[in-house]
Amino acid sequence: MRYVLLTALLVFGPAALGQAFVPAGDDRVLEVLPERGGDLQLRALREQLRATPDDRALALQLVERYIALGRAEADPRYFGRAEAVLVPLVRSNPSAEMLTLRAVLAQNRHDFSAALADLRRALALRPRLIGAWLTQAAIHQVQGRYPEALQSCLTVSRLAAGWSGRVCVESVLADSGQLEPAYRRLVALLSVAGPESADERQWAWTVLAEMAERLGDTGAAERHYRRALAIGRLSAYPLAGFADFLLDRQRYAEVLELLTGEQRADGLLLRLALAERQLGHSEAEGHRRTLAARFADSRRRGDTSHQGDEARFELQLNSEPEQALALAAANWQVQREPRDARILLEAAIAAGKFDAARDVLAFLARTGLEDVRLRDLAAQLAGRTT
Amino acid sequence: MRRWLVFLILIGVSCAASAHKASDAYLSLTWSGERWVGRWDMALRDLQEAVGLDQDDDGRITSRELRERGDAVAAHALSRLGISGDGRACRLDGEGLRVDEHSDGGYAVLDFRADCPATVRQLMVDYRWFFEFDARHRGLFSLVRPSGARSAVFSPEQPTQTFELAGKGGVWPELAAFVQEGMTHIWAGYDHLLFLLSLLLPAALARDGLTWRRKANLAEIGTDVLAVVTAFTLAHSLTLALTVWQYLALPSRWVEAAIAASVAVAALNNIYAWFTERRVWLAFGFGLVHGMGIAGVLLDLALPKSGQALALLGFNLGVELGQLVIIAVALPLIYWGSRQRYYPVWVLKYGSTGIVGLALIWLVERGLDVAILPS
């Protein structure tokens, strides 16, 4: 027995306790800062603000830069930084713009009631503030409150020139029983180039692509997604939408091509991992574990804004339909976009708990929300709920 | 329309494409048995924002850059952390930087010590790091003591939290906690108990050719039991210590499978009587394997080096105490049973067959990593 012990000692040696280590050498790269961050410009703004801390216009400019970056990169760190600059400003004599920006940040955290309260205050101060109306429309739409969303959109189209009001109106109408006519009107609108900014055009083409997908027009959807992505402003939203489009069509290799290197955003990493798994790619398991760690951390911090993606993670990567269903149901209480409906229906079917889908089915019937994928799922559930 | 109004809309739609990980730091404070040891993992991206690490502005943080800014990192971080015991501030001293990876990239790991009096009953932690740069930053905190771990989250809304350590004071309560841990472990670990029981079942009998004869005097029985139990204890204490001190590390799946096998062998021995007189060696040999299994619990606690001796002592004492209690209950039954006519058939043969069956199921479960029995 002594020999066994001795051999074991020689073979395995003393194991390390933690994973932390002191890096050897000078040139080991420990972290690559986000290249697209435009950190140099930001730094200049920050330095300026440090020199003149009372310059509220400058502070707002910095907040806007952070929010723009946060949106493009889907990186909550930038939203957190925006909040750190904004919160002290709002405390003393807030302007309508500041309140609107704070609402945008609250919305990003999925704290919709705080966001709507700030927007009400902002609009009381400045009833013609287009950004506040648009944000309010977006929140109501995500919550599935289409009549209220439409009201805000109509106000926007009255106040603002350009596409934003029309896109807002048509996208809400498309959710409430008028998908096809809304799609046709929007195609006509986008066929005439206007003076819109790149952000606005990318947004409009993405909305159009999603509508085409919901109508079942695969060819058009792909064209619209490519059009949105060709605008070149990197944004997680059209990337995620197009990746889902490709995943639904089992075009996994193209997902890999689209998303390789896009590993910082959870939503994109999830889609990448799903494609890798289908292809038997060697990195699939590592990415699955990274996602598990990130979701665990957000749960620990009490952050529930990831529940929709986490439900998908549990269902499609972990094969845990029960857990997926619980997450999808909690997510449905907060937001009600077609993709939120979809994951809840899929999880309910996978878990064999058909009654859990009742809320969604009732919502679809009530609002007239159309989507070929939801229609197929609902057909599978027909007659199986009580 | 002002430019910023446009991305408001875009954010409106983009909240579904959910985000990266937000900024988290991981802070733990561990009672080593002598002092509080801190470990603080901070994202290099966040440190870049807070103290500036990338000296040459090439977008990369290298080990040299981190090392050169090491003192600044420690000073910045520790000046924004307050720990006090029973209302008196504890002195915090940085003990160097290491690095680690989390799911969102590279982290600096700041090791530090907190000099709080040993008799502290209430610990207050005041965490103010990085909130000034990122309002969504969170400090994910865990307070680790042998009697258990507690966790908390620090946020700008809740930067200060208090932890009651009532009952903690000196070495004895710590030791008691480990003794209890050890007893709980041995009682919950059916495999260790079944192994020991299998060895003790024939203690009051002696093999006589193909049959069993009752041992005449109690002294003979007592010697036999004492020898078996001592051999098992010595062996598992040895490997328990070696494993906890990390001189020995075998994959836990092998160890667990070997433990299951040991139960099967010990029970089979009651049927086939391979080593009736040498059960002591059986107890010792397999005891070595059981020790590695028992160590798993302690390893999971990831105790700091300085607290290991106390933990090991207490835990082992607990294991032995728990074992003695079981023997004290089982032995009179075994003695009484062995005076009954059908004991060799019903208990030794059929009872051991049952144990073999159970052990074989464990062996398959652990060896192949499948679940057969409901857990």
Side-chain angles (χ1 to χ4, degrees):
Chain A
M1 208 24 116
R2 260 215 329 263
Y3 295 108
V4 176
L5 258 176
L6 218 65
T7 318
L9 272 176
L10 288 175
V11 173
F12 298 101
L17 190 70
Q19 287 184 320
F21 60 97
V22 176
D26 269 355
D27 302 322
R28 193 181 168 121
V29 175
L30 305 173
E31 178 69 292
V32 179
L33 299 168
E35 286 172 317
R36 298 199 300 252
D39 273 343
L40 285 176
Q41 275 170 290
L42 277 178
R43 200 185 307 169
L45 267 177
R46 269 201 320 263
E47 297 292 329
Q48 244 177 299
L49 186 63
R50 202 165 299 155
T52 52
D54 293 330
D55 188 340
R56 289 160 72 92
L58 192 68
L60 270 191
Q61 208 185 330
L62 184 60
V63 170
E64 289 163 14
R65 285 279 309 152
Y66 275 137
I67 293 180
L69 267 173
R71 179 190 69 80
E73 304 273 324
D75 186 342
R77 277 190 157 91
Y78 292 117
F79 293 114
R81 287 173 195 179
E83 233 168 284
V85 179
L86 186 63
V87 167
L89 284 182
V90 178
R91 229 172 262 143
S92 62
N93 188 23
S95 69
E97 268 109 341
M98 289 174 193
L99 288 165
T100 306
L101 285 170
R102 192 167 75 170
V104 168
L105 291 167
Q107 177 203 5
N108 171 267
R109 273 188 272 116
H110 290 206
D111 187 350
F112 294 141
S113 55
L116 289 172
D118 272 345
L119 291 172
R120 266 195 301 277
R121 277 178 72 191
L123 287 172
L125 288 172
R126 266 184 61 192
R128 299 172 67 83
L129 190 61
I130 298 166
W133 285 110
L134 269 173
T135 311
Q136 190 168 286
I139 294 175
H140 282 144
Q141 191 176 5
V142 166
Q143 290 181 319
R145 293 158 64 181
Y146 302 127
E148 290 95 324
L150 190 60
Q151 282 280 303
S152 299
C153 289
L154 288 171
T155 311
V156 174
S157 42
R158 224 175 35 240
L159 294 175
W163 287 359
S164 48
R166 286 288 302 282
V167 177
C168 184
V169 168
E170 300 301 352
S171 80
V172 173
L173 288 176
D175 283 354
S176 30
Q178 295 193 37
L179 179 57
E180 198 168 354
Y183 175 71
R184 265 188 281 113
R185 287 191 295 265
L186 211 49
V187 169
L189 175 72
L190 298 201
S191 64
V192 186
E196 282 68 27
S197 69
D199 285 323
E200 212 169 358
R201 277 185 289 135
Q202 191 175 53
W203 170 57
W205 284 109
T206 308
V207 169
L208 201 61
E210 285 176 335
M211 285 187 191
E213 218 183 338
R214 283 162 57 192
L215 281 167
D217 189 344
T218 308
E222 181 162 358
R223 273 198 315 279
H224 300 328
Y225 274 125
R226 290 199 185 281
R227 186 88 186 250
L229 291 169
I231 290 170
R233 313 272 293 200
L234 270 161
S235 163
Y237 188 72
L239 276 176
F242 191 43
D244 281 343
F245 173 89
L246 295 172
L247 284 171
D248 279 342
R249 277 147 201 91
Q250 280 134 43
R251 291 159 61 180
Y252 305 118
E254 290 170 69
V255 178
L256 240 61
E257 209 175 299
L258 186 72
L259 295 183
T260 297
E262 295 288 346
Q263 296 172 10
R264 292 214 190 223
D266 295 351
L268 298 183
L269 183 57
L270 171 69
R271 286 153 176 94
L272 180 62
L274 284 170
E276 286 170 343
R277 176 126 116 202
Q278 293 296 333
L279 294 170
H281 200 279
S282 58
E283 295 205 49
E285 177 55 20
H287 285 156
R288 192 195 64 76
R289 257 184 270 136
T290 302
L291 283 165
R294 289 195 195 164
F295 288 132
D297 276 340
S298 0
R299 225 172 304 125
R300 220 180 135 187
R301 34 185 295 147
D303 180 350
T304 55
S305 61
H306 291 56
Q307 279 172 333
D309 272 343
E310 195 179 354
R312 230 174 126 182
F313 170 73
E314 291 293 351
L315 183 65
Q316 295 170 355
L317 275 178
N318 282 351
S319 307
E320 294 279 0
E322 301 268 339
Q323 286 192 34
L325 181 58
L327 287 161
N331 177 57
W332 181 252
Q333 293 310 311
V334 184
Q335 55 173 26
R336 308 191 152 189
E337 291 191 289
R339 77 175 87 239
D340 305 306
R342 182 177 174 188
I343 183 64
L344 181 46
L345 295 186
E346 287 175 345
I349 292 171
K353 294 193 168 169
F354 307 117
D355 279 350
R358 245 183 344 201
D359 253 15
V360 177
L361 297 179
F363 176 84
L364 296 180
R366 191 178 74 237
T367 57
L369 185 89
E370 297 159 75
D371 188 321
V372 286
R373 295 156 302 186
L374 293 177
R375 196 188 57 207
D376 293 347
L377 289 167
Q380 289 182 47
L381 284 159
R384 296 165 94 170
T385 57
T386 51
Chain B
M1 185 156 71
R2 272 187 57 182
R3 205 178 67 80
W4 65 268
L5 296 181
V6 177
F7 35 78
L8 296 187
I9 333 162
L10 301 169
I11 291 157
V13 290
S14 68
C15 58
S18 74
H20 299 185
K21 203 168 151 328
S23 162
D24 291 320
Y26 306 83
L27 176 68
S28 72
L29 209 53
T30 305
W31 176 250
S32 72
E34 291 153 23
R35 60 196 181 95
W36 290 100
V37 177
R39 172 178 168 160
W40 195 350
D41 293 24
M42 292 166 276
L44 291 170
R45 265 188 81 188
D46 292 341
L47 283 171
Q48 162 70 14
E49 188 79 3
V51 292
L53 298 175
D54 186 17
Q55 313 277 2
D56 55 7
D57 274 335
D58 66 347
R60 291 159 191 277
I61 294 167
T62 61
S63 37
R64 183 183 52 76
E65 285 170 329
L66 179 63
R67 198 178 54 237
E68 282 172 0
R69 297 289 286 153
D71 290 340
V73 167
H76 186 270
L78 291 175
S79 71
R80 285 160 177 81
L81 177 68
I83 297 175
S84 55
D86 296 336
R88 259 187 312 180
C90 313
R91 194 190 137 99
L92 304 180
D93 284 307
E95 297 195 316
L97 276 188
R98 293 181 291 163
V99 294
D100 199 356
E101 286 269 326
H102 287 268
S103 63
D104 60 340
Y107 277 65
V109 176
L110 173 64
D111 294 301
F112 64 95
R113 54 181 293 172
D115 289 321
C116 307
T119 53
V120 162
R121 304 182 70 80
Q122 193 189 55
L123 203 68
M124 196 178 80
V125 181
D126 182 41
Y127 182 105
R128 310 255 171 197
W129 186 69
F130 209 58
F131 296 142
E132 63 201 274
F133 298 97
D134 184 338
R136 294 193 188 177
H137 175 74
R138 295 290 179 270
L140 305 184
F141 176 65
S142 49
L143 184 69
V144 185
R145 291 189 303 146
S147 50
R150 315 248 295 270
S151 58
V153 179
F154 294 104
S155 64
E157 294 76 34
Q158 212 171 15
T160 305
Q161 293 182 52
T162 306
F163 304 88
E164 298 295 336
L165 310 179
K168 201 204 80 61
V171 165
W172 292 111
E174 291 297 323
L175 193 67
F178 277 113
V179 169
Q180 202 181 358
E181 191 75 30
M183 288 174 76
T184 316
H185 180 69
I186 197 77
W187 287 338
Y190 301 121
D191 43 6
H192 307 304
L193 288 180
L194 269 185
F195 177 72
L196 198 60
L197 278 180
S198 303
L199 289 177
L200 292 180
L201 280 180
L205 301 172
R207 195 71 173 182
D208 192 3
L210 285 173
T211 56
W212 297 93
R213 103 184 132 70
R214 291 167 195 166
K215 284 181 186 165
N217 60 18
L218 284 173
E220 199 186 343
I221 300 172
T223 319
D224 185 76
V225 170
L226 194 67
V228 167
V229 172
T230 308
F232 183 60
T233 302
L234 279 180
H236 75 225
S237 302
L238 177 67
T239 45
L240 171 63
L242 285 176
T243 309
V244 170
W245 275 318
Q246 307 198 349
Y247 292 109
L248 190 59
L250 291 177
S252 73
R253 200 165 129 198
W254 296 9
V255 171
E256 293 301 320
I259 289 174
S262 76
V263 176
V265 171
L268 279 172
N269 185 46
N270 291 339
I271 304 169
Y272 297 106
W274 295 317
F275 328 82
T276 29
E277 304 314 315
R278 282 165 309 193
R279 292 197 334 278
V280 174
W281 289 106
L282 198 64
F284 187 84
F286 281 120
L288 292 171
V289 181
H290 281 254
M292 295 183 233
I294 295 170
V297 184
L298 276 185
L299 285 180
D300 287 345
L301 287 178
L303 295 165
K305 282 262 182 285
S306 50
Q308 278 174 354
L310 182 80
L312 196 59
L313 178 70
F315 189 79
N316 209 350
L317 273 177
V319 169
E320 310 319 337
L321 268 175
Q323 198 174 287
L324 282 179
V325 170
I326 299 291
I327 293 168
V329 173
L331 210 53
L333 284 172
I334 288 172
Y335 179 79
W336 173 82
S338 64
R339 309 290 104 171
Q340 310 305 312
R341 192 173 158 199
Y342 295 109
Y343 184 82
V345 178
W346 283 104
V347 177
L348 277 188
K349 200 167 176 186
Y350 296 155
S352 296
T353 308
I355 296 177
V356 172
L358 184 61
L360 288 179
I361 294 177
W362 283 340
L363 184 59
V364 172
E365 282 189 334
R366 294 168 184 187
L368 304 179
D369 202 12
V370 293
I372 299 171
L373 299 173
S375 55

